[in-house]
Amino acid sequence: VAVAGGKVYTLGNAGGQDTIYALNAESGREVWRYSYPCSAGDYGGPRSSPAVAGNQLFTVSREGLVVCLSTTNGKALWTRNLQRELGAAPPRWGFAGSPLVEGNRVYVNIGTSGAALDRASGKVLWW
């Protein structure tokens, strides 16, 4: 989980979909959710934890999908399928590294040396 701004953010997988949840930190009630297709894999679901920076939430799926959502309403600001776009081979257990946000960059553990994305657009800066 990640906790910020009165919300708790977490991920789960059911029925061939990953779902990102924002919960009210005091009541536990769901504030919003965002889902996308993703198989559970051998270990039953997402492998990484979300990262929050300002009004953005970042996640990495076991299949290499990097998602940036608005923390306010859960709307997608951008998504990048780095496994497909970069030809990055997934580890046997799937992509499991949590995103790291530093300044205007989002670092993800995808590929042999990782990758850096532009925080605002998702553009690949290096990999």
Side-chain angles (χ1 to χ4, degrees):
V1 301
V3 181
K7 293 183 183 109
V8 176
Y9 303 96
T10 192
L11 298 91
N13 182 285
Q17 287 197 322
D18 273 359
T19 300
I20 303 165
Y21 298 92
L23 308 173
N24 180 290
E26 288 188 32
S27 69
R29 290 194 173 109
E30 185 177 304
V31 177
W32 53 257
R33 72 171 60 187
Y34 179 87
S35 297
Y36 54 86
C38 186
S39 68
D42 295 341
Y43 300 108
R47 312 293 194 263
S48 66
S49 56
V52 179
N55 64 349
Q56 295 171 294
L57 176 75
F58 302 91
T59 65
V60 178
S61 80
R62 63 170 289 284
E63 294 179 342
L65 181 69
V66 181
V67 177
C68 174
L69 303 177
S70 164
T71 58
T72 304
N73 56 22
K75 302 290 183 199
L77 301 174
W78 54 262
T79 64
R80 299 297 300 257
N81 187 323
L82 295 185
Q83 179 182 357
R84 185 179 64 235
E85 291 177 38
L86 303 178
R92 182 173 43 104
W93 52 84
F95 296 103
S98 300
L100 171 67
V101 183
E102 183 66 34
N104 292 324
R105 293 185 177 186
V106 180
Y107 298 95
V108 292
N109 189 14
I110 290 179
T112 57
S113 301
L117 308 177
D118 179 78
R119 180 176 160 183
S121 68
K123 176 184 175 187
V124 176
L125 301 173
W126 57 258
W127 84 286

